[in-house]
Amino acid sequence: MNGNTFGRLFQVTTFGESHGEAMGCTVSGCPAGLELSEEDIQGDLDRRKPGQSMITTSRGEPDAVSIKSGVQDGYTTGTPIGMVIQNKDAQSGKYEPFITAPRPSHGDFTYSAKFGTRNWGGGGRSSARETVNWVAAGAIAKKVLSSQGVEIKAHVNRIGDVEAEGVSFEGMVEHSEENAVRCGDPEVAREMQELIERYQEEGDSIGGSIEFEIRGAPRGLGAPRFDSLPARLGQAMMSVPATTAFEFGLGKEASEYAGSERNEDWEFSEEGDPVPVGNDHGGIQGGISTGEPITGEVTLHAPTSIPKEQTTVDWETGEEKTVQVIGRHDPVLPPRGVPVVEAMCALTVVDFMLLAGRINPDRMDGRPGEYDTDYHPSSPDNR
Amino acid sequence: MNGNTFGRLFQVTTFGESHGEAMGCTVSGCPAGLELSEEDIQGDLDRRKPGQSMITTSRGEPDAVSIKSGVQDGYTTGTPIGMVIQNKDAQSGKYEPFITAPRPSHGDFTYSAKFGTRNWGGGGRSSARETVNWVAAGAIAKKVLSSQGVEIKAHVNRIGDVEAEGVSFEGMVEHSEENAVRCGDPEVAREMQELIERYQEEGDSIGGSIEFEIRGAPRGLGAPRFDSLPARLGQAMMSVPATTAFEFGLGKEASEYAGSERNEDWEFSEEGDPVPVGNDHGGIQGGISTGEPITGEVTLHAPTSIPKEQTTVDWETGEEKTVQVIGRHDPVLPPRGVPVVEAMCALTVVDFMLLAGRINPDRMDGRPGEYDTDYHPSSPDNR
Amino acid sequence: MNGNTFGRLFQVTTFGESHGEAMGCTVSGCPAGLELSEEDIQGDLDRRKPGQSMITTSRGEPDAVSIKSGVQDGYTTGTPIGMVIQNKDAQSGKYEPFITAPRPSHGDFTYSAKFGTRNWGGGGRSSARETVNWVAAGAIAKKVLSSQGVEIKAHVNRIGDVEAEGVSFEGMVEHSEENAVRCGDPEVAREMQELIERYQEEGDSIGGSIEFEIRGAPRGLGAPRFDSLPARLGQAMMSVPATTAFEFGLGKEASEYAGSERNEDWEFSEEGDPVPVGNDHGGIQGGISTGEPITGEVTLHAPTSIPKEQTTVDWETGEEKTVQVIGRHDPVLPPRGVPVVEAMCALTVVDFMLLAGRINPDRMDGRPGEYDTDYHPSSPDNR
Amino acid sequence: MNGNTFGRLFQVTTFGESHGEAMGCTVSGCPAGLELSEEDIQGDLDRRKPGQSMITTSRGEPDAVSIKSGVQDGYTTGTPIGMVIQNKDAQSGKYEPFITAPRPSHGDFTYSAKFGTRNWGGGGRSSARETVNWVAAGAIAKKVLSSQGVEIKAHVNRIGDVEAEGVSFEGMVEHSEENAVRCGDPEVAREMQELIERYQEEGDSIGGSIEFEIRGAPRGLGAPRFDSLPARLGQAMMSVPATTAFEFGLGKEASEYAGSERNEDWEFSEEGDPVPVGNDHGGIQGGISTGEPITGEVTLHAPTSIPKEQTTVDWETGEEKTVQVIGRHDPVLPPRGVPVVEAMCALTVVDFMLLAGRINPDRMDGRPGEYDTDYHPSSPDNR
């Protein structure tokens, strides 16, 4: 309702503003028996964190997560996991010109329109800093999924007009973390990096996109019609800051395909299992997963914070004025967006798996023998 | 949760299968005082209904809606509006080859995977026939919105590689209902029609896309982060059957825009109101409406039901077999999809307006003087 | 949100007013494979229906339910079950004095305060006629539960100051449907009947209460804290029209018990299963079911529609006036409330069982061999 | 869904276990412009906190709240308010006998049944320590309500068989905080105190109940049928730990009232406003508020933690054993439950007021002139 909670059974509720004291989130509905420590989460936070390369903002945030609840003796208890991440390096001074004037194409104006107030420090709640919470929650979701054989990977497949095509899941896994752009094709990554630096030098920024792939998700996920897999992935991805397009399977190209081209026959696999011939359907038919890899793409527009001169209005003086958004900003969003997209994939899929009763606790590391069937009263025969 | 309900305050809950007895929906949360009759709804149902032209299925459904509740003496009462639409022309016989074999690229296989059952008649609940409910509910949402100065229009902007560019809102309104394709550019509409007929003759089908525009929506709609306007529009549009992409504003093209190109200055309008210069942002900044027209696009893949020969598996015999999907099917989806997309726009926006307290009952036709302040106990001073 | 939907995974959405064309509801989330026909539902509708005895209203409603969707060849499909029940015997004329004047202690005044309109025919949506939908949906929930070994029974345990104490589950089952009062103690039932007739003769009405018991519910149901079993039963029961109190276990008497009296030791059953000694806890500890019978009680105030003279205000004339609520009304609510309370128990418990993954489809009659593992793709190993 | 979130528009999500590092909650949906500091919250936390008198547990928790977000320059921003309360005085050692054995009548057994794990330290998430979060969130809700003229007060009206009858709202306000029992009748408070001490000396505990009254709530709150005011108050109150009964208005006594006794005429007030004669209806008719004070009562059973000897089962040894729950426990719950009940009243009512559009921001202290209409874009004419 208020935009601060995502998910139905695996729910994340977040708080925090760019220049507030802390970010934080509560993960409600994580099954008991998952081995979990702060280290499991820190890895993804580090992939998202500012200051990791020349093409990211230099804001100095360690983004160290502290788990406050929901874990006992190293294992989740099934009760809510509270997490807090301190903000350490807010420099609100740089935002002073914007106390009474909205930054162009930011959320400044619209947040004021909605809330009737102005939280100018770093954009307040409208800042993409919020996604630190998503990545923290997503890391837990990923770990649950991994125990069930589901793996998720994303990479940057386009910056401006430079595109990486045909990168496989394995390619993403192997190469995307080797370069600052987070592209699964090392060659193309270099081109992207050069392009980004060119825009950066000009005091400008550039758009791009992220491809994701989800492997091992079982068949039958998704509750048509309004809670179908594409519907909930759509909600998840369109939540990612700066996103202007979401596609799955052939995506936008599907408009140019004939039915006979796009349709995929069913055949029996060697094991006698019915499988579709090909995956132009991106792992989803009729809004429900087919068991094939779920593939999609997210387009992010260029960062709106640019040093170039722009014009805006001053609410107080009633006059237009020229501004420069100085701060410490990213020239491009997809590289740091990769773990964010992965997190939203994970949160979406783990939620559907819980709804489908497809999380098998025996596959989690658990604490076998200790809290198990001997005394566990929920035996299959209702007692 | 189960995919049969859309919306938070303005909620639609639907039922019905392609070859069941009836389709139906309940609209819960429609404000009291809206003048409403079945005629208000029938217009949009007729735009969606089968058999309206040579390029739509010939299934003969009058799609006459019957309102069962929620309206008294011609005005809504604020209590749920129950609607039923009888199915008249189901011909299940044509689906018999598919009782034990999934149609390629349909929802047949995945629905069976999810529910563990097989509803083969016309695809059961997976059929796009369900959207008759959405259009009925959307017509009510549109009428509420219209009373508040919000208007919604969509048209077909692409079929295969034929594209209509730069069609204005006025162009859509004026021309899109004149031609069977529902394209706002009459010239391009002819080309599209020819293209469709070519595919139809070959026993094939083709994809396309729909553009929409929402005029007059107030500033401040959308609850960031996970219930932002793009997030909920994303859920709404990705629910539309056969949709593989959703975009707003520049959409996918945004990846190629520099920040300095896409960013839009703020200036004062002649009335002294701050306005953005341009609408590359598609009416949404920071996930919240700016007051500019909300623009977006939805891509629909080609219909999967084609007479061409395809291969599938038979669960019973355990063998592969050649099939043709004969039935009565559309060679292209966007023309009948236009009222569906409009309906989902309307349902999304009316919900956000209720959440924002932006539905002004005095703007509805109401029944002035009769149920009004004289006796209305909810006076502003709490009594 | 709008009060027309109950449940999370097993969801009921209702529509209809007392004097509208029809009542109806959509059950979303019922598992596939349940044998279901209208006869399964009609039994409970007949127990609730008006005109069944001298101590119920004489309104002549057959309350025949028609299933519109969600059932194929006699078995549920997992998709929403739409149901419609026609209103046949509305006599709005009798309500004419109340078009501009609220009936005392009815929902007339408050519905107008909320909706800003006046639906005077039989109370419109505020009428207890709405519960016909609950009973229809509850009958389906009961059938699902019954397949899982869960049985629900309620009876009238108090009318005015006449009380039936210590009636066992078996007693309720055996006797409560034998008498018009629906009390499990035939002796006390006679006293109750006499008391009711006395009030009826005086043009008056009287309050009472209903006891329920749920047998066979598994351990572990309930999601503390705000979705605990008592919290959701509380919501369910306080929804029942005219309810002013909800209790479980010792209920209100618990205030007079010492901890040492109310506490129950744990011991091992003969089968080595830990069981609490006694059931003063009413089947719930810490908000979660213990596996013992879940017991509770609901108090319903006297019907507000009475022929005795009362005073009210006329909004139009601005004057007070004397009125008599003539219509056809019940002198007491619990006898017809019994199936309503059972329905709300069933809807609450089936929802928690789905959430807990405790509905075993193999225990439903299903259609064995036909839609089964041979081709079912959701095998435990994720494919 | 998971029990950790309450409310629809004014939402609280909580985390924390009795012996975890910290408790915390996120309040999402609080309107912008409320003056708010930690002191506004601390007052109610101190009323709930342990160690405040001889008849409460001696656990030494300062319960100091820290606001992490959602407040800027002393005013709420409309974005989520994150709060954290450190746990300081957990002494898990005392719980060691219960690692493998459930305490009688506690949530130990059922939490293990639900989650398949055992969080033994102080009861983990099942502990009433969780209510510290409710009181923190409730204090914010109360402050919003207070700005709108709505005031809430509760007191202890029964301990064992000692009852305080006929205490007025003013009496509660004036006297209930003067005595350790929190009873609005000082005379009766002394009797209650003596009774409690008697049980305490015997190593036992005793039950009791809390009465609440909500003044100034506007007419028209509540969304019948399943989200009616009693339904949501019922959910709220049955969430309070140890609650076994919830009543409003006449409550359980209603069963003995004739319709003619309980019904209340409508008349015109001196100001010409229709008002009911009396308040046996407890401020609610047809599930919706009448504008009269909303009155209700909650029964809490005796604390289950008692030093007296009890028997339980040991899962590990498979044997029964004698135990004493030593720890530091309350001999009676209502005194500390008063602020908890008030908090749940406040959370319920503020939520309904937001849903009804009845929170007037101009009545909040706001920051007048600064973030106001001059630049606020959401003018009534949609721009």
Side-chain angles (χ1 to χ4, degrees):
Chain A
M1 301 290 303
N2 299 314
N4 305 310
T5 295
F6 184 81
R8 281 87 41 97
L9 291 187
F10 194 100
Q11 269 191 330
V12 193
T13 300
T14 72
F15 67 81
E17 301 102 34
S18 182
H19 291 191
E21 183 182 330
M23 314 302 295
C25 65
T26 302
V27 171
S28 171
C30 180
L34 182 75
E35 194 168 13
L36 187 73
S37 71
E38 283 140 359
E39 288 72 53
D40 291 315
I41 298 165
Q42 202 60 49
D44 270 350
L45 289 179
D46 291 346
R47 292 172 67 213
R48 183 209 156 277
K49 119 178 133 178
Q52 50 181 295
S53 78
M54 295 302 296
I55 58 167
T56 60
T57 163
S58 59
R59 180 169 167 177
E61 291 292 350
D63 282 353
V65 68
S66 167
I67 297 178
K68 300 295 185 195
S69 67
V71 177
Q72 188 193 33
D73 299 341
Y75 290 85
T76 57
T77 57
T79 56
I81 303 167
M83 294 185 278
V84 175
I85 295 154
Q86 294 296 315
N87 286 336
K88 299 279 195 188
D89 189 25
Q91 301 180 1
S92 286
K94 292 183 178 162
Y95 291 86
E96 271 173 14
F98 299 104
I99 297 182
T100 58
R103 289 169 297 168
S105 290
H106 265 274
D108 295 4
F109 184 82
T110 54
Y111 268 68
S112 291
K114 178 178 176 62
F115 294 110
T117 186
R118 176 88 186 89
N119 193 335
W120 52 272
R125 179 85 179 148
S126 76
S127 166
R129 176 135 191 78
E130 150 77 357
T131 57
V132 75
N133 289 320
W134 309 7
V135 171
I140 300 176
K142 275 183 183 179
K143 202 165 185 208
V144 174
L145 288 173
S146 186
S147 75
Q148 309 295 312
V150 182
E151 300 294 341
I152 292 165
K153 192 70 198 79
H155 83 130
V156 175
N157 71 317
R158 189 184 298 105
I159 296 291
D161 56 2
V162 180
E163 189 174 354
E165 283 184 284
V167 177
S168 67
F169 189 81
E170 292 71 21
M172 290 192 219
V173 171
E174 196 176 334
H175 298 298
S176 69
E177 299 299 319
E178 292 171 356
N179 57 74
V181 185
R182 259 191 199 96
C183 171
D185 181 327
E187 200 81 22
V188 180
R190 269 187 294 275
E191 284 179 65
M192 289 174 169
Q193 172 101 16
E194 281 165 30
L195 187 73
I196 295 166
E197 285 167 1
R198 218 151 57 228
Y199 280 96
Q200 199 172 21
E201 281 158 21
E202 290 166 15
D204 209 338
S205 64
I206 182 68
S209 61
I210 297 170
E211 261 181 357
F212 65 81
E213 186 168 334
I214 304 165
R215 293 235 155 166
R219 292 169 177 168
L221 301 185
R225 323 272 324 194
F226 304 113
D227 298 312
S228 70
L229 193 44
R232 289 294 174 186
L233 275 175
Q235 181 197 2
M237 295 307 158
M238 297 307 298
S239 295
V240 176
T243 297
T244 56
F246 166 66
E247 305 162 87
F248 79 90
L250 287 175
K252 203 169 160 62
E253 279 181 58
S255 63
E256 299 187 21
Y257 276 63
S260 61
E261 288 174 293
R262 187 185 168 280
N263 274 12
E264 289 158 341
D265 288 340
W266 285 98
E267 63 176 23
F268 284 108
S269 70
E270 285 186 19
E271 299 79 25
D273 194 36
V275 286
V277 182
N279 192 15
D280 276 355
H281 66 278
I284 303 171
Q285 287 180 351
I288 303 176
S289 64
T290 60
E292 298 303 304
I294 299 166
T295 61
E297 188 177 323
V298 175
T299 299
L300 286 77
H301 64 64
T304 50
S305 294
I306 52 172
K308 276 202 172 172
E309 284 201 346
Q310 299 175 84
T311 299
T312 190
V313 295
D314 192 311
W315 289 314
E316 205 163 77
T317 65
E319 295 191 357
E320 298 173 5
K321 69 180 180 188
T322 301
V323 287
Q324 284 179 286
V325 182
I326 301 294
R328 296 159 298 177
H329 307 292
D330 298 271
V332 72
L333 298 172
R336 290 179 62 204
V338 164
V340 176
V341 164
E342 289 174 10
M344 294 312 295
C345 284
L347 291 170
T348 304
V349 172
V350 80
D351 199 31
F352 275 118
M353 287 185 66
L354 281 168
L355 281 163
R358 296 301 296 268
I359 299 290
N360 182 348
D362 294 343
R363 286 191 174 197
M364 300 202 298
D365 12 59
R367 303 175 65 187
E370 205 163 346
Y371 294 120
D372 222 356
T373 36
D374 277 7
Y375 78 89
H376 195 305
S378 310
S379 74
D381 49 1
N382 270 0
R383 279 295 296 267
Chain B
M1 303 291 303
N2 298 317
N4 304 310
T5 295
F6 184 81
R8 281 87 42 97
L9 291 188
F10 194 101
Q11 269 191 329
V12 193
T13 300
T14 72
F15 67 80
E17 301 102 34
S18 182
H19 290 193
E21 183 182 329
M23 314 301 296
C25 65
T26 302
V27 171
S28 170
C30 181
L34 182 77
E35 194 168 14
L36 186 73
S37 71
E38 281 140 0
E39 288 73 52
D40 292 314
I41 297 164
Q42 202 59 49
D44 270 350
L45 289 179
D46 290 346
R47 293 171 66 213
R48 183 208 156 279
K49 113 178 138 180
Q52 50 182 295
S53 79
M54 295 302 294
I55 58 166
T56 59
T57 163
S58 60
R59 181 169 166 175
E61 290 292 349
D63 282 352
V65 67
S66 167
I67 297 178
K68 300 295 185 195
S69 67
V71 177
Q72 188 193 34
D73 299 341
Y75 290 86
T76 56
T77 56
T79 55
I81 304 167
M83 294 186 278
V84 175
I85 296 154
Q86 293 296 316
N87 287 336
K88 299 280 195 188
D89 189 23
Q91 301 181 1
S92 287
K94 293 186 177 160
Y95 292 85
E96 270 173 15
F98 300 103
I99 296 181
T100 57
R103 289 169 297 167
S105 290
H106 265 275
D108 295 3
F109 183 81
T110 53
Y111 267 68
S112 291
K114 178 178 176 63
F115 294 111
T117 186
R118 175 91 184 90
N119 193 335
W120 51 271
R125 179 83 180 149
S126 77
S127 166
R129 175 134 192 79
E130 151 76 359
T131 58
V132 75
N133 289 321
W134 310 6
V135 171
I140 299 176
K142 275 183 182 178
K143 201 165 186 208
V144 174
L145 288 173
S146 186
S147 75
Q148 309 295 311
V150 182
E151 300 294 341
I152 292 165
K153 192 70 197 76
H155 84 131
V156 176
N157 71 317
R158 188 183 298 107
I159 296 291
D161 55 2
V162 180
E163 188 175 353
E165 284 184 283
V167 177
S168 67
F169 189 81
E170 292 71 21
M172 291 193 220
V173 171
E174 197 175 333
H175 298 297
S176 68
E177 299 299 320
E178 293 172 355
N179 56 75
V181 186
R182 264 196 192 91
C183 171
D185 181 328
E187 199 83 22
V188 180
R190 270 186 293 275
E191 283 178 65
M192 289 174 169
Q193 173 99 18
E194 282 165 31
L195 187 74
I196 295 165
E197 285 167 2
R198 217 148 59 227
Y199 280 96
Q200 199 171 21
E201 281 158 22
E202 290 166 16
D204 209 340
S205 64
I206 182 68
S209 61
I210 297 170
E211 261 181 357
F212 65 81
E213 185 168 333
I214 304 165
R215 292 236 156 167
R219 291 168 177 168
L221 301 185
R225 322 275 320 198
F226 303 113
D227 297 312
S228 70
L229 192 45
R232 288 294 174 187
L233 275 175
Q235 182 197 0
M237 295 308 157
M238 298 307 298
S239 295
V240 175
T243 297
T244 56
F246 167 65
E247 304 163 89
F248 78 91
L250 287 176
K252 203 169 158 65
E253 279 180 58
S255 63
E256 299 187 19
Y257 276 64
S260 60
E261 288 174 293
R262 187 185 169 280
N263 275 11
E264 289 158 341
D265 289 338
W266 285 98
E267 63 177 22
F268 284 109
S269 71
E270 285 186 18
E271 298 80 25
D273 195 35
V275 286
V277 182
N279 192 16
D280 275 356
H281 67 278
I284 302 170
Q285 288 180 352
I288 305 176
S289 64
T290 61
E292 299 303 305
I294 300 166
T295 60
E297 189 178 323
V298 175
T299 299
L300 287 78
H301 65 64
T304 51
S305 293
I306 52 172
K308 278 200 172 175
E309 285 202 346
Q310 300 174 84
T311 300
T312 190
V313 295
D314 193 309
W315 290 314
E316 205 163 78
T317 64
E319 295 190 358
E320 298 173 6
K321 70 179 180 189
T322 300
V323 288
Q324 284 178 286
V325 182
I326 301 296
R328 297 158 298 178
H329 307 292
D330 298 271
V332 72
L333 299 172
R336 290 179 62 205
V338 163
V340 177
V341 164
E342 289 175 8
M344 294 312 294
C345 284
L347 292 170
T348 304
V349 172
V350 79
D351 198 31
F352 275 118
M353 286 185 67
L354 282 168
L355 281 164
R358 295 300 297 269
I359 299 289
N360 182 348
D362 294 343
R363 288 191 173 197
M364 299 201 300
D365 14 57
R367 304 176 64 185
E370 203 163 348
Y371 294 119
D372 221 355
T373 36
D374 276 7
Y375 79 90
H376 195 305
S378 309
S379 73
D381 50 1
N382 271 359
R383 281 292 300 264
Chain C
M1 302 288 306
N2 299 316
N4 304 310
T5 296
F6 185 80
R8 283 85 43 96
L9 291 187
F10 194 99
Q11 268 190 329
V12 193
T13 300
T14 72
F15 68 81
E17 300 102 34
S18 182
H19 291 193
E21 184 183 329
M23 313 303 293
C25 65
T26 302
V27 171
S28 171
C30 180
L34 182 77
E35 194 168 14
L36 186 73
S37 72
E38 282 140 359
E39 288 73 52
D40 291 314
I41 298 165
Q42 202 59 50
D44 270 349
L45 289 178
D46 290 347
R47 293 171 66 214
R48 180 208 158 279
K49 119 179 133 177
Q52 49 181 296
S53 78
M54 294 304 293
I55 58 166
T56 60
T57 163
S58 60
R59 182 169 165 175
E61 291 292 348
D63 282 352
V65 68
S66 167
I67 297 178
K68 301 295 184 193
S69 67
V71 177
Q72 189 193 31
D73 299 341
Y75 291 86
T76 57
T77 57
T79 56
I81 303 167
M83 294 186 279
V84 175
I85 295 153
Q86 293 296 317
N87 287 335
K88 300 280 195 189
D89 189 24
Q91 301 181 1
S92 287
K94 292 185 177 161
Y95 292 86
E96 270 173 14
F98 301 103
I99 297 182
T100 58
R103 290 169 296 168
S105 290
H106 264 275
D108 294 4
F109 183 81
T110 54
Y111 267 68
S112 291
K114 177 178 177 62
F115 294 111
T117 187
R118 177 88 184 89
N119 194 335
W120 52 271
R125 179 83 180 148
S126 77
S127 166
R129 174 132 191 80
E130 151 76 359
T131 57
V132 75
N133 289 319
W134 310 6
V135 171
I140 300 176
K142 275 182 183 179
K143 201 165 186 208
V144 174
L145 288 173
S146 185
S147 75
Q148 309 296 311
V150 182
E151 300 295 341
I152 292 165
K153 191 72 196 79
H155 84 130
V156 176
N157 71 316
R158 188 184 298 108
I159 296 291
D161 55 2
V162 180
E163 188 174 355
E165 283 184 283
V167 177
S168 68
F169 189 83
E170 291 71 22
M172 292 192 218
V173 171
E174 196 175 333
H175 299 297
S176 68
E177 299 299 319
E178 292 172 355
N179 56 75
V181 185
R182 265 195 192 91
C183 171
D185 181 327
E187 199 82 21
V188 180
R190 268 187 293 276
E191 286 177 63
M192 289 174 170
Q193 172 99 19
E194 283 165 29
L195 186 74
I196 295 166
E197 285 166 2
R198 217 149 59 226
Y199 280 96
Q200 199 171 22
E201 280 158 22
E202 292 166 14
D204 209 339
S205 63
I206 183 68
S209 61
I210 297 169
E211 261 183 354
F212 64 82
E213 185 168 334
I214 304 165
R215 293 237 154 165
R219 292 170 176 168
L221 300 186
R225 321 263 336 185
F226 303 113
D227 297 312
S228 70
L229 192 44
R232 290 294 174 185
L233 274 176
Q235 183 196 1
M237 294 309 158
M238 298 307 299
S239 296
V240 175
T243 296
T244 56
F246 166 66
E247 304 161 89
F248 78 90
L250 287 175
K252 203 169 160 63
E253 279 180 58
S255 64
E256 299 186 20
Y257 276 65
S260 60
E261 289 174 293
R262 187 186 169 279
N263 274 12
E264 289 157 343
D265 288 339
W266 284 99
E267 62 176 23
F268 285 108
S269 70
E270 285 186 19
E271 298 80 25
D273 195 35
V275 287
V277 181
N279 192 15
D280 275 354
H281 68 278
I284 303 172
Q285 289 180 350
I288 305 176
S289 64
T290 61
E292 298 303 305
I294 299 166
T295 61
E297 187 177 325
V298 174
T299 300
L300 286 77
H301 64 63
T304 51
S305 294
I306 52 172
K308 277 202 170 173
E309 283 202 348
Q310 299 175 82
T311 300
T312 188
V313 295
D314 193 309
W315 290 314
E316 206 163 78
T317 64
E319 296 190 356
E320 298 172 6
K321 68 180 183 190
T322 300
V323 288
Q324 283 177 286
V325 182
I326 301 295
R328 298 158 296 176
H329 307 291
D330 298 272
V332 73
L333 299 173
R336 290 179 62 205
V338 164
V340 177
V341 164
E342 288 175 9
M344 294 313 293
C345 284
L347 292 170
T348 303
V349 171
V350 79
D351 199 30
F352 275 117
M353 286 186 67
L354 281 168
L355 281 164
R358 296 300 296 269
I359 299 290
N360 182 349
D362 293 345
R363 287 191 173 196
M364 298 201 300
D365 14 57
R367 304 176 66 186
E370 203 163 346
Y371 295 120
D372 222 355
T373 36
D374 277 8
Y375 78 89
H376 197 304
S378 309
S379 73
D381 50 2
N382 270 0
R383 280 293 299 269
Chain D
M1 304 288 305
N2 299 315
N4 304 309
T5 295
F6 184 82
R8 283 83 44 96
L9 290 188
F10 194 100
Q11 268 190 331
V12 193
T13 300
T14 73
F15 67 80
E17 300 102 33
S18 182
H19 291 192
E21 182 183 329
M23 312 304 293
C25 66
T26 302
V27 171
S28 172
C30 180
L34 181 77
E35 195 167 14
L36 187 72
S37 71
E38 282 141 359
E39 287 73 52
D40 291 315
I41 298 164
Q42 201 61 48
D44 270 350
L45 289 179
D46 290 346
R47 293 171 66 213
R48 183 208 156 277
K49 115 178 136 180
Q52 50 181 297
S53 78
M54 295 303 294
I55 59 166
T56 60
T57 163
S58 60
R59 180 170 167 175
E61 290 292 349
D63 282 353
V65 68
S66 167
I67 297 178
K68 301 296 186 194
S69 68
V71 177
Q72 188 193 32
D73 299 341
Y75 290 85
T76 57
T77 56
T79 54
I81 302 168
M83 294 185 279
V84 175
I85 295 155
Q86 293 296 316
N87 287 335
K88 300 279 195 188
D89 188 25
Q91 301 181 0
S92 287
K94 293 183 177 162
Y95 292 85
E96 269 172 17
F98 300 103
I99 297 182
T100 57
R103 289 169 298 168
S105 289
H106 264 274
D108 295 4
F109 183 81
T110 53
Y111 268 67
S112 291
K114 178 178 175 62
F115 294 111
T117 186
R118 176 88 184 91
N119 192 337
W120 51 272
R125 179 83 180 151
S126 77
S127 166
R129 175 133 191 80
E130 151 75 359
T131 58
V132 75
N133 289 319
W134 309 7
V135 170
I140 300 177
K142 275 184 183 178
K143 201 166 184 206
V144 174
L145 288 173
S146 185
S147 75
Q148 309 295 311
V150 182
E151 300 295 340
I152 291 164
K153 192 72 197 77
H155 83 130
V156 175
N157 71 316
R158 189 182 299 105
I159 296 291
D161 55 2
V162 180
E163 187 175 354
E165 281 185 284
V167 176
S168 67
F169 189 81
E170 292 71 20
M172 291 193 220
V173 171
E174 196 175 333
H175 298 297
S176 69
E177 299 300 319
E178 291 171 354
N179 56 74
V181 185
R182 262 194 195 93
C183 171
D185 181 327
E187 200 81 24
V188 180
R190 268 187 293 275
E191 285 178 63
M192 289 175 170
Q193 173 100 16
E194 282 165 30
L195 187 74
I196 295 166
E197 286 167 1
R198 217 150 58 228
Y199 280 96
Q200 200 171 19
E201 281 158 22
E202 292 166 15
D204 208 339
S205 64
I206 182 68
S209 63
I210 297 171
E211 259 182 358
F212 65 82
E213 185 168 334
I214 304 166
R215 292 237 155 165
R219 291 169 177 168
L221 300 187
R225 320 268 328 192
F226 304 113
D227 298 311
S228 70
L229 193 44
R232 289 295 175 186
L233 274 175
Q235 182 197 1
M237 294 308 158
M238 298 307 298
S239 295
V240 176
T243 297
T244 56
F246 167 66
E247 304 162 89
F248 78 90
L250 287 176
K252 203 169 160 62
E253 280 181 57
S255 63
E256 300 188 20
Y257 276 65
S260 60
E261 289 173 293
R262 187 186 168 279
N263 274 12
E264 290 157 341
D265 289 339
W266 284 99
E267 63 177 22
F268 285 108
S269 70
E270 286 187 17
E271 299 79 24
D273 195 36
V275 287
V277 182
N279 192 17
D280 275 355
H281 67 279
I284 302 171
Q285 287 181 352
I288 304 177
S289 64
T290 60
E292 298 304 304
I294 300 165
T295 60
E297 188 177 324
V298 175
T299 300
L300 286 77
H301 65 64
T304 50
S305 293
I306 52 172
K308 277 200 171 173
E309 283 201 347
Q310 299 175 83
T311 300
T312 189
V313 295
D314 193 310
W315 290 315
E316 207 163 75
T317 64
E319 297 191 354
E320 299 172 5
K321 69 181 181 188
T322 300
V323 288
Q324 283 178 286
V325 182
I326 301 294
R328 297 159 299 177
H329 306 291
D330 298 271
V332 72
L333 298 172
R336 290 179 62 204
V338 164
V340 177
V341 164
E342 289 175 10
M344 293 313 294
C345 284
L347 292 170
T348 304
V349 172
V350 79
D351 199 31
F352 274 118
M353 286 186 66
L354 282 168
L355 282 163
R358 296 300 297 268
I359 299 290
N360 182 349
D362 294 343
R363 287 190 173 198
M364 299 202 299
D365 14 57
R367 303 176 65 186
E370 205 165 345
Y371 295 118
D372 223 355
T373 37
D374 277 7
Y375 79 89
H376 195 304
S378 309
S379 72
D381 49 0
N382 270 0
R383 279 295 298 265

